[in-house]
C-alpha cells in the first residue's frame, strides 16, 4: 500500500468516526494541523509522508459490575503506515488503578495484534473496550488494599515511560504553541523492581537529562532525519529495541 493509499484509508476512517460520533464529547481530533495536512495530501494525490501523525480521542461511558457509571477515553494516533501497522491506542480512566490500566492496555494490544493486523480497527478497539473495560475496574482489589505495604511497593518500583508527542517543525509556531498532555501518548511502560537504593535507580536511567536531539535534519521543511543515526544513538544508550516499537521496523 502506497503513502497515498494509507492516507486515504486513514482519512476515510476519521470521516466515518466523525459521522458516527458527531459530538466532541464522544470523538475529537486533537491535532487539527495534522488532519489538515492529511486532507491536503489526499486532495493533491501526493505521495509525500505527512510530517506528523493524526491524533484523536474517543470517549465512552462504562457500566461497572456494581451498576455504577465510569468515564473512559481512548487516546489514539495513526502511524504513517497504518493500517499496515497497528494504531497507537491508550486507554485512560480515573476509575482504574495504575495496575488495572496497564493490564487493560496490554490486553487490548494483544487483541488488536491477534485480530486486526493490517486492517482498520479503531471501531474494533472501541467495541472491545466497551465490552471488556468495566470488568477491570474491580480486578485485583486485594492488591490495592494493603495500606502501608502499598506505599513501600511504590517506592521500590522504577517506572520508565516511552512517549510519543506531536512535533512542530515551524520555528515560529514552536514559540507560540504549547504542548498539551492530550498530545502525548504513552507508547510503552516499564515497571522495574528495585532494592530501594539510589544507586540502583541511577543504573536504570537511560538518559541523564531531557533534551531535543536532531540527526541530520533534511527535506524542504527540515522534517526528515537520519533514522540510522537515531538507531545508533539508542544503541549507545542501551535501548535499541525501542526503535522497532516506534517505527515498526528493525534498526540498522
Amino acid at each position: 500500500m502506497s503513502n497515498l493509499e494509507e492516507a486515504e484509508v486513514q482519512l476515510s476512517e476519521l470521516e466515518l468516526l466523525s459521522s458516527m460520533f458527531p459530538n466532541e464529547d464522544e470523538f475529537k481530533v486533537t491535532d487539527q494541523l495534522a488532519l489538515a495536512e492529511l486532507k491536503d495530501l489526499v486532495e493533491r494525490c501526493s505521495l509525500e509522508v505527512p510530517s506528523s501523525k493524526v491524533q484523536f480521542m474517543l470517549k465512552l461511558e462504562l457500566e461497572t459490575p456494581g451498576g455504577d457509571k465510569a468515564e473512559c477515553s481512548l487516546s489514539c494516533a495513526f502511524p504513517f503506515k497504518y493500517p499496515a501497522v497497528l494504531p497507537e491506542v491508550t486507554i485512560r480512566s480515573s476509575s482504574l488503578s495504575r495496575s488495572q490500566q496497564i493490564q487493560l492496555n496490554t490486553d487490548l494490544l494483544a487483541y488488536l495484534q491477534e485480530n486486526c493486523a493490517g486492517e482498520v480497527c479503531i471501531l474494533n478497539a472501541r467495541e472491545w473496550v466497551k465490552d471488556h473495560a468495566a470488568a477491570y475496574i474491580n480486578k485485583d482489589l486485594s492488591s490495592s488494599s494493603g495500606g502501608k505495604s502499598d506505599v513501600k511497593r511504590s517506592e521500590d518500583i522504577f517506572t520508565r515511560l516511552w512517549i510519543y508527542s506531536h512535533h512542530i517543525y515551524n520555528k515560529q509556531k514552536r514559540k507560540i504553541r504549547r504542548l498539551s498532555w492530550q498530545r502525548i501518548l504513552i507508547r510503552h511502560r516499564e515497571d522495574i523492581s528495585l532494592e530501594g537504593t539510589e544507586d540502583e535507580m541511577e543504573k536504570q536511567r537511560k538518559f541523564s537529562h531531557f533534551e531535543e536531539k536532531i540527526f541530520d535534519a533534511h527535506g524542504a521543511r527540515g522534517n526528515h532525519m537520519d533514522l540510522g543515526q537515531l538507531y545508533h544513538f539508542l544503541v549507545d544508550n542501551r535501548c535499541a529495541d525501542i526503535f522497532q516499537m516506534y517505527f515498526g521496523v528493525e534498526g540498522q
Side-chain angles (χ1 to χ4, degrees):
M1 188 177 289
S2 68
N3 293 338
L4 178 58
E5 290 173 319
E6 288 157 351
E8 290 173 339
V9 169
Q10 292 177 24
L11 187 58
S12 294
E13 189 169 15
L14 289 169
E15 291 173 347
L16 175 62
L17 291 169
S18 180
S19 65
M20 292 181 65
F21 311 108
N23 298 322
E24 284 197 351
D25 57 353
E26 293 180 295
F27 168 73
K28 182 179 181 180
V29 175
T30 54
D31 192 334
Q32 293 294 332
L33 287 178
L35 176 60
E37 183 180 19
L38 184 68
K39 289 180 178 179
D40 181 62
L41 291 176
V42 172
E43 289 173 358
R44 292 189 291 108
C45 297
S46 172
L47 296 178
E48 296 176 20
V49 176
S51 62
S52 58
K53 306 175 187 179
V54 174
Q55 300 182 45
F56 55 95
M57 184 174 293
L58 287 163
K59 295 183 179 180
L60 62 156
E61 189 175 69
L62 307 173
E63 185 171 341
T64 68
D68 297 324
K69 301 293 184 181
E71 298 293 329
C72 180
S73 67
L74 281 71
S75 296
C76 310
F78 284 155
F80 300 140
K81 290 297 183 180
Y82 175 81
V85 300
L86 291 175
E88 299 167 5
V89 182
T90 302
I91 309 166
R92 296 188 176 95
S93 174
S94 59
S95 299
L96 292 167
S97 68
R98 185 181 69 176
S99 61
Q100 292 165 347
Q101 194 160 282
I102 291 172
Q103 188 60 55
L104 179 58
N105 279 285
T106 299
D107 292 348
L108 172 61
L109 178 59
Y111 165 78
L112 294 177
Q113 289 173 333
E114 182 176 350
N115 298 279
C116 302
E119 305 289 340
V120 295
C121 59
I122 295 299
L123 283 176
N124 299 64
R126 184 185 185 278
E127 286 304 304
W128 187 92
V129 171
K130 183 178 179 181
D131 293 338
H132 296 86
Y136 287 73
I137 294 175
N138 290 331
K139 274 189 177 180
D140 298 325
L141 291 181
S142 59
S143 66
S144 62
S145 59
K148 295 181 179 179
S149 61
D150 269 355
V151 175
K152 184 179 187 302
R153 243 192 328 267
S154 66
E155 292 175 348
D156 293 338
I157 297 294
F158 179 92
T159 297
R160 181 183 297 115
L161 301 179
W162 294 96
I163 66 173
Y164 165 79
S165 66
H166 173 70
H167 187 80
I168 303 173
Y169 297 101
N170 186 291
K171 293 181 179 180
Q172 295 301 318
K173 291 180 181 178
R174 295 181 90 177
K175 293 179 181 180
I176 62 174
R177 187 173 175 186
R178 294 182 177 180
L179 186 68
S180 70
W181 283 103
Q182 285 185 334
R183 298 181 185 277
I184 295 179
L185 297 177
I186 299 176
R187 192 71 181 87
H188 180 59
R189 178 178 187 140
E190 299 174 64
D191 289 314
I192 303 166
S193 297
L194 300 177
E195 295 181 0
T197 66
E198 288 190 13
D199 288 342
E200 285 295 318
M201 182 176 294
E202 289 301 320
K203 289 179 182 178
Q204 294 297 335
R205 295 188 187 278
K206 301 292 187 181
F207 309 100
S208 59
H209 58 283
F210 184 85
E211 63 177 330
E212 180 180 23
K213 303 293 291 187
I214 299 175
F215 302 97
D216 190 22
H218 57 279
R221 291 174 293 174
N223 60 341
H224 296 284
M225 294 192 186
D226 187 327
L227 294 183
Q229 291 184 26
L230 169 60
Y231 175 69
H232 288 293
F233 170 77
L234 294 174
V235 170
D236 293 340
N237 287 277
R238 301 172 293 122
C239 47
D241 55 315
I242 296 300
F243 188 93
Q244 185 170 20
M245 184 186 71
Y246 269 86
F247 300 105
V249 297
E250 294 185 3
Q252 297 180 353

